[in-house]
Amino acid sequence: MSKPVRAKISALGTYVPPRLLTNADLEKMVDTTNDWIMERVGIRERHLVDKGVGASDLAVEAVKKLLKSHPFDLQQVDLIVVGTVTPDMMYPSTACLVQHKLGIENTWGFDVSAGCSGFLYALNTGTKFVESGRYKKVLVIGADVNSSMTDFTDRAVCIIFGDGAGAVLLEPAEEGEDGIIDHVAQVEGMGGQYLYMPGGGSLNPASHDTVDQKMHYIHQDGKQVFKYAVKKMSEMTERVLERNKLTGKDVDCFIAHQANRRIITATAERLEMPAEKVVINIDRFGNTTAGTIPLAMQTALEEKKLKKGNLVLLAAVGAGFTSGATLVRWAF
Ligand code: UT7
């Protein structure tokens, strides 16, 4: 029997559009304050696209950044998996648009829709392809243009979200080398009612009526999402650690979806992880949905919280509800 193949993350690239929306800007748009946003959520500013820029554009920029730090022949890419809930359009998939824009000739790909767990679910999927032994270079991308579905008169929503993307390259680990160790994931569809965009799909196709009713915007019951996220992120992280006979003390770096600073710190406290192991960059980017985890990986590298050989715990909870946690031995 052939030896099992392990997937590793061998490169990372991230991108946020240059335009900033600060809390001071938001104070002029809705009834809010910098103090409230900093205290309740922990965001100072977020980046937003200009008109005419879609998720595929952010994804392509993230891949170009990846290539700069880790040059290789893009024609070798076997598969492109894109986590997004803000595809450029209903179809073709963002993966097809990315393939075309990057000119990768002999590959295939698809999108994964899992809300704020989108990057983790795409990563789990790409991992399985590499582990099959047949796939040698898989691009896993998380990209979202949340501003495309944000009602900038809804103060409970517009302060949270930003636009951004990140891409990782998955390759087979060398003999004896660690990589992606394990994951857990779960969906609980009862949570769909608390965070969703009702308009534009097959149930409520776009019409003057759906637009008048603001059905093309994010609808969120923040309190319900918050309560679930705090409980579920702890549950999923504990589950993946227990499966691998580890505890929070074994983890070198905790990289969670950045939705609210309080959700991340509550999970870290539960796992007894000190602040220096916890990556937080929500202050600079807000919640970029599928972009948050690769953006936080980038921050972790820049802040030297993440080094080759480190045990990394990734976690996310999002619309669906979706949730997941993944254990990675960092490979570069
Ligand atoms: O990744 C998944 C995506 N979403 C999330 O993870 C969101 C999870 N939820 C949250 O992060 C928080 O629930 C929010 C940040 C959305 C809201 O924070 P909260 O502490 O749960 O506030 P709340 O909804 O309980 O509202 C408390 C008060 C309310 O006023 P009253 O009714 O007490 O007078 C709100 O109207 O805060 C008010 N409020 C605001 N005040 C100033 C809501 N939004 C704002 C705002 N500025 N932007």
Side-chain angles (χ1 to χ4, degrees):
M1 235 176 59
S2 57
K3 280 197 191 145
V5 177
R6 181 160 262 176
K8 68 173 179 184
I9 297 174
S10 50
L12 169 72
T14 58
Y15 179 76
V16 288
R19 183 160 66 96
L20 273 183
L21 182 72
T22 64
N23 289 352
D25 297 326
L26 283 163
E27 283 177 351
K28 293 182 205 131
M29 295 160 66
V30 289
D31 181 15
T32 193
T33 62
N34 175 57
D35 288 350
W36 191 94
I37 302 171
M38 284 304 290
E39 191 188 313
R40 304 305 298 163
V41 206
I43 305 173
R44 190 179 306 282
E45 60 194 27
R46 52 309 269 143
H47 293 249
L48 304 187
V49 300
D50 289 319
K51 203 169 174 333
V53 176
S56 70
D57 298 308
L58 303 189
V60 164
E61 291 305 319
V63 174
K64 286 184 182 164
K65 286 273 192 65
L66 181 152
L67 275 177
K68 264 200 180 143
S69 66
H70 181 88
F72 74 100
D73 181 5
L74 265 187
Q75 299 305 332
Q76 296 171 342
V77 169
D78 301 306
L79 174 66
I80 304 166
V81 188
V82 182
T84 185
V85 282
T86 52
D88 289 27
M89 54 194 93
M90 289 285 279
Y91 64 87
S93 71
T94 312
C96 291
L97 303 176
V98 169
Q99 173 274 328
H100 180 61
K101 287 179 181 179
L102 289 172
I104 308 173
E105 279 167 21
N106 193 9
T107 191
W108 69 294
F110 51 87
D111 292 0
V112 170
S113 171
C116 294
S117 308
F119 180 79
L120 271 199
Y121 283 26
L123 185 68
N124 295 343
T125 308
T127 297
K128 293 295 149 198
F129 278 92
V130 174
E131 288 175 352
S132 75
R134 183 171 155 192
Y135 289 79
K136 309 291 183 210
K137 283 195 167 38
V138 175
L139 277 178
V140 172
I141 303 170
D144 271 302
V145 178
N146 287 317
S147 58
S148 66
M149 52 177 184
T150 298
D151 177 358
F152 283 96
T153 66
D154 181 351
R155 68 175 182 172
V157 168
C158 70
I159 55 134
I160 298 176
F161 292 100
D163 303 335
V168 297
L169 176 67
L170 294 184
E171 292 181 288
E174 315 292 325
E175 179 126 15
E177 198 183 26
D178 275 337
I180 296 173
I181 298 166
D182 194 16
H183 77 266
V184 294
Q186 188 176 0
V187 299
E188 291 184 287
M190 57 71 193
Q193 60 187 309
Y194 301 122
L195 182 54
Y196 64 115
M197 191 186 86
S202 54
L203 185 61
N204 299 298
S207 67
H208 289 292
D209 206 33
T210 58
V211 174
D212 289 346
Q213 290 183 52
K214 299 191 167 193
M215 290 168 81
H216 301 85
Y217 288 138
I218 298 164
H219 291 234
Q220 174 175 271
D221 181 336
K223 244 192 174 36
Q224 293 291 341
V225 179
F226 184 88
K227 274 198 302 199
Y228 180 84
V230 168
K231 183 176 95 35
K232 202 68 191 180
M233 197 175 273
S234 294
E235 196 183 308
M236 296 307 270
T237 48
E238 281 168 356
R239 202 183 290 176
V240 80
L241 287 168
E242 271 169 32
R243 264 169 66 87
N244 291 276
K245 302 190 173 40
L246 296 163
T247 72
K249 297 201 172 94
D250 298 304
V251 173
D252 298 304
C253 185
F254 177 45
I255 298 181
H257 167 57
Q258 312 276 309
N260 186 317
R261 171 186 270 271
R262 291 183 292 139
I263 298 172
I264 305 167
T265 51
T267 311
E269 274 166 30
R270 177 87 179 257
L271 295 172
E272 295 181 49
M273 268 185 298
E276 61 269 19
K277 291 186 176 181
V278 181
V279 182
I280 294 185
N281 65 6
I282 191 171
D283 50 322
R284 291 191 284 138
F285 303 116
N287 180 351
T288 57
T289 301
T292 59
I293 288 183
L295 280 165
M297 287 172 169
Q298 186 66 48
T299 297
L301 287 170
E302 285 164 8
E303 292 179 352
K304 310 231 176 314
K305 283 184 167 172
L306 185 52
K307 295 180 204 80
K308 187 172 164 54
N310 278 174
L311 183 66
V312 186
L313 175 61
L314 310 175
V317 177
F321 289 129
T322 58
S323 61
T326 301
L327 270 176
V328 178
R329 184 70 67 186
W330 198 253
F332 68 94

